[in-house]
Amino acid sequence: QLGETAAELDCRAYVVGGFVRDLFLFRKNEDIDVVIEGDGIAFAKTFANAHGARTHTHEKFGTAVITFPDDFKIDVASARMEYYQFPASLPVVEMSSIKMDMFRRDFTINTLAIELNPDKFGRLLDFFSAQKDIKDKVLRVLHNLSFVEDPTRVFRALRFEQRFGFTIGKLTSSLIDNAVKMDFFKRVAGKRIYTELKLILKEEHPAPILLRLLDYDLLRIIHPLIKIENDLQRLLETAQKVTDWHDLLFIDESYERWAVYFMTLLCHCDLDATLEICNHLTIAPRYRKMFGETRIMMAEHLTRLERRKRMDNAQVYNLLKGLRTELILYMMICTTSDTAIKRISKYHTQLRHAAITLSGKDLLDMGLPPGPLFSRTLQAVLEAKLNGRVRNREEEIAFARQ
Ligand code: CTP
């Protein structure tokens, strides 16, 4: 249908990029990117009108998003010469618009396009040997200036390398080394680095990617205050184990896994360094608080969980109650003490769900005067329940009466 609309408008439509790459890798991908040789915005509007969808357009970039009533989206871009600005030394003359659009992309594996117009429907365009590179499992840039054009592609390279189990081509690898050596990143805003870092942290297996960043000395680029100690590899591997453990046990509970990994990277940073990193990366205030003050306060709690010889359930509960899952998991990652790990995991699997049936109304019925004594009594009953001294409603009432 996309192809039919294109034919009606006398332009050509192609599905491109990650969607086509993932077809060849047998991976699921629901992000559809369409490139129109011609006016992408006019195409998107016509198509949306005919199919009961909405469009959101960016005239300046010649792009549009078509959104269907079920929220399914298609991104549309225009392949037109005037949208491209290449460094003068690149051989871009006499390329068709679609080839030019592919040429401006990051890696060869992202340069496949499939024609959608009915006359050539399904024809694959492979201008830069993408199929061969996918088959050989290598990641290559299209030209030597790729990282000059956009240094954040270095992060994408390592993300794709690990996600697909590819290797980075020799030349591409030396171009990354060069980008680091020449510090191409000094012109890149912290916000863009943060966006790329988050994409890495949101991958299924972020740890190997972060270790690869370390190989290329790129963690320093995220921020020079991120302290790289010898235990980074162990910490990241533990982060993977701990989050896997959590995700298996609490399949329905959502939390921000990427934030756990981010805190793992920050684990040797003090409050000042953390705040400086957050500022540089323009991290939102609610995360800033979790990554900064709360995380550092947790380190003190952790010391208690590690060192105190005897701690009953109520003491563990009182120390950890109300903490976000991200921080609970972070504490489990940071400690090497079995005692602390057992205490934290007991809290997370059992104690945090503890509840009593006794309410303020019950206390009123018992003749207790409303006031601070109410909450103290309820707290004492809860603690008794956590420590196994009361088990049911009768025992709760009897305990409250004492
Ligand atoms: N692209 C690029 N340079 C960048 C970012 C993106 O050339 N810095 C190109 C890529 O070729 C990619 C396309 O823009 O195919 C769309 O990028 P993105 O939305 O990140 O999609 P994917 O490559 O599919 O990545 P992912 O699988 O992580 O969604």
Side-chain angles (χ1 to χ4, degrees), residues 17-18 21 104-106 110 150 153 156 159-160 163:
R21 174 199 69 212
R104 81 191 160 96
R105 289 173 185 253
D106 48 3
N110 288 331
D150 180 354
R153 287 176 171 170
R156 291 172 62 84
R159 184 156 61 85
F160 290 140
R163 184 203 289 173

Side-chain angles (χ1 to χ4, degrees), residues 184-198:
F184 288 178
F185 306 91
K186 62 174 178 273
R187 290 176 289 117
V188 181
K191 192 174 181 166
R192 290 202 59 209
I193 304 267
Y194 182 46
T195 304
E196 288 304 322
L197 175 63
K198 248 165 108 171

Side-chain angles (χ1 to χ4, degrees), residues 321-382:
K321 77 175 165 211
L323 273 187
R324 293 174 60 131
T325 300
E326 291 83 355
L327 286 155
I328 295 284
L329 300 183
Y330 170 71
M331 288 171 92
M332 289 176 82
I333 295 162
C334 286
T335 184
T336 48
S337 144
D338 281 343
T339 314
I341 291 176
K342 274 190 198 137
R343 285 171 173 164
I344 301 168
S345 66
K346 186 172 192 186
Y347 168 80
H348 201 63
T349 50
Q350 300 171 24
L351 306 182
R352 73 181 161 127
H353 302 296
I356 52 174
T357 63
L358 208 67
S359 66
K361 181 171 177 305
D362 294 319
L363 297 184
L364 271 181
D365 292 347
M366 281 178 209
L368 224 68
L373 194 60
F374 256 49
S375 60
R376 279 216 301 276
T377 309
L378 292 173
Q379 173 70 16
V381 175
L382 177 65

Side-chain angles (χ1 to χ4, degrees), residues 54 86 118 129 181 232 254 263 293 303 314 362-363 365 374:
R54 289 174 290 123
F86 286 105
S129 307
K181 207 164 74 204
L232 184 67
S254 67
M263 289 192 283
E293 277 163 46
T303 314
D362 294 319
L363 297 184
D365 292 347
F374 256 49

Side-chain angles (χ1 to χ4, degrees), residues 199-358:
L199 288 172
I200 290 175
L201 301 177
K202 286 183 176 179
E203 286 283 323
E204 196 176 343
H205 299 293
I209 312 176
L210 295 168
L211 291 169
R212 288 292 281 151
L213 292 188
L214 188 61
D215 286 346
Y216 281 102
D217 199 18
L218 275 161
L219 286 178
R220 181 175 61 75
I221 303 298
I222 294 167
H223 201 284
L225 286 175
I226 292 183
K227 275 200 202 148
I228 315 295
E229 307 276 347
N230 293 334
D231 60 355
L232 184 67
Q233 176 155 359
R234 182 188 59 76
L235 284 168
L236 289 172
E237 281 162 4
T238 311
Q240 187 80 56
K241 281 190 205 139
V242 167
T243 51
D244 284 349
W245 165 82
H246 178 275
D247 298 350
L248 201 69
L249 274 182
F250 307 102
I251 210 158
D252 300 327
E253 287 185 27
S254 67
Y255 71 105
E256 299 190 88
R257 198 173 66 118
W258 69 269
V260 178
Y261 279 94
F262 189 62
M263 289 192 283
T264 307
L265 281 183
L266 294 179
C267 92
H268 297 300
C269 295
D270 63 17
L271 184 59
D272 286 346
T274 304
L275 294 180
E276 205 172 316
I277 294 168
C278 289
N279 277 341
H280 177 66
L281 300 179
T282 63
I283 293 180
R286 68 198 166 103
Y287 293 117
R288 210 173 284 218
K289 180 138 197 287
M290 167 164 59
F291 298 158
E293 277 163 46
T294 322
R295 181 181 65 85
I296 288 180
M297 194 179 71
M298 281 307 96
E300 289 161 27
H301 287 9
L302 190 56
T303 314
R304 261 182 259 165
L305 289 163
E306 287 167 346
R307 296 203 183 143
R308 266 207 212 161
K309 286 231 164 45
R310 299 184 66 82
M311 263 185 116
D312 63 26
N313 288 343
Q315 285 170 317
V316 173
Y317 177 91
N318 286 331
L319 209 60
L320 298 178
K321 77 175 165 211
L323 273 187
R324 293 174 60 131
T325 300
E326 291 83 355
L327 286 155
I328 295 284
L329 300 183
Y330 170 71
M331 288 171 92
M332 289 176 82
I333 295 162
C334 286
T335 184
T336 48
S337 144
D338 281 343
T339 314
I341 291 176
K342 274 190 198 137
R343 285 171 173 164
I344 301 168
S345 66
K346 186 172 192 186
Y347 168 80
H348 201 63
T349 50
Q350 300 171 24
L351 306 182
R352 73 181 161 127
H353 302 296
I356 52 174
T357 63
L358 208 67

